[in-house]
Amino acid sequence: MKVTILGSSGSVSSPTNPASGYLVSTENSPSLLVDIGPGVMAKLQELQDPCEAHVAFSHLHADHCLDFPSLLVWRRFHPTAPAKSRNLCFGPTTTPVHLGRLSSSSPDEVDDMSDTFAFDSWQVGQPQIIDRLTVTPFPAVHPIESYSLRIQEHTTNKVVAYSGDSGWTDSLIECAKDADVFMCEATWGAGNGTYPPEMHLSGAEAGRIARLAGARSLVLIHIPPWGDPNGAVAAARTEFDGPVTIGESGLEIIV
Ligand SMILES: [Zn+2]
Ligand SMILES: [Zn+2]
């Protein structure tokens, strides 16, 4: 299994880093694109046929889903290589309506996208088999319906855990239990705890969750363009003894 970070910028894209988008690849099956924020569609085109991917949303804040309508245009209207068949799309309950509005010609309409994706909604703790991967959603703590995702490859049993956007919750410890790679948001960077509750995590909190979960490595993501990635890493290292890296756009992680 390989994870390629297409974009990891928190809340908004940056000049060198799209907003959230993580491409999980396995041999001889479609990829799984986890979130598709602004700028992710451009990066995806550099790496593969955009049609050859299932999609999984952690939640539907704009920085995690706004390039989805562009993906639909490619799948439906590419003159020589449109999508040959439907792919899977998992997300919060409102995904077909929320994204259907984004993709429609009028704010009062909802584009019926079932021609190109089979939509299904996450149920907490209920694993979904997506080709060679099993994805289990855990409840995140965030202002809208949001999930952290535990992704396990069938042939190797290797695990990648993805926090999505979340404040502190013990569910994240369960989600990242013994994970080979824990990709955890660290929006508040080296913050000292004076930030709004139930929104995001600091680098220190990400490190603490990685330690409590027994994760083997920690990749810090969702740091905004105005943030301090090095401060986030230093804070995480005060809590977690394993390897800590910054999840920059273009980073490939072999799991
Ligand atoms: Zn976000
Ligand atoms: Zn969010």
Side-chain angles (χ1 to χ4, degrees):
M1 176 166 55
K2 180 170 79 173
V3 179
T4 306
I5 297 184
L6 305 178
S8 65
S9 186
S11 301
V12 300
S13 50
S14 86
T16 56
N17 190 4
S20 297
Y22 305 91
L23 189 67
V24 183
S25 312
T26 55
E27 287 189 8
N28 302 319
S29 66
S31 308
L32 178 64
L33 179 57
V34 180
D35 290 339
I36 177 167
V40 168
M41 185 63 191
K43 286 290 177 190
L44 180 61
Q45 289 169 58
E46 292 179 358
L47 295 179
Q48 67 161 69
D49 177 353
C51 297
E52 293 295 314
H54 304 296
V55 175
F57 286 106
S58 64
H59 68 304
L60 298 176
H61 272 155
D63 57 318
H64 295 254
C65 72
L66 276 192
D67 258 3
F68 190 74
S70 301
L71 177 60
L72 286 194
V73 169
W74 186 290
R75 291 179 64 90
R76 285 169 164 167
F77 304 120
H78 192 292
T80 59
K84 299 186 191 76
S85 60
R86 293 205 304 174
N87 282 52
L88 305 174
C89 180
F90 289 89
T93 317
T94 56
T95 299
V97 174
H98 190 115
L99 299 180
R101 286 196 199 285
L102 284 181
S103 184
S104 73
S105 305
S106 146
D108 298 327
E109 294 174 359
V110 176
D111 182 15
D112 179 358
M113 305 174 293
S114 60
D115 59 304
T116 193
F117 275 109
F119 289 91
D120 205 348
S121 51
W122 300 123
Q123 307 295 325
V124 165
Q126 182 176 313
Q128 296 288 353
I129 294 173
I130 305 176
D131 278 307
R132 291 166 180 260
L133 303 170
T134 295
V135 182
T136 306
F138 291 77
V141 173
H142 205 51
I144 61 173
E145 183 184 352
S146 303
Y147 300 91
S148 307
L149 302 175
R150 180 180 176 89
I151 302 166
Q152 184 161 30
E153 186 185 21
H154 296 165
T155 50
T156 62
N157 288 326
K158 297 280 189 179
V159 170
V160 173
Y162 170 54
S163 66
D165 286 10
S166 184
W168 179 275
T169 166
D170 289 350
S171 289
L172 262 175
I173 301 169
E174 192 183 350
C175 178
K177 191 78 184 161
D178 298 325
D180 295 279
V181 177
F182 179 33
M183 299 193 302
C184 188
E185 72 127 283
T187 306
W188 304 133
N192 59 6
T194 58
Y195 32 79
E198 302 190 341
M199 285 279 289
H200 293 296
L201 295 166
S202 66
E205 288 173 320
R208 197 175 311 149
I209 293 166
R211 172 168 51 80
L212 294 172
R216 291 181 180 80
S217 65
L218 175 62
V219 179
L220 298 181
I221 54 173
H222 205 271
I223 298 168
W226 52 81
D228 173 13
N230 292 326
V233 169
R237 285 184 175 145
T238 64
E239 294 277 355
F240 180 61
D241 288 337
V244 182
T245 53
I246 300 167
E248 295 170 326
S249 176
L251 180 67
E252 292 184 346
I253 307 165
I254 307 295
V255 189

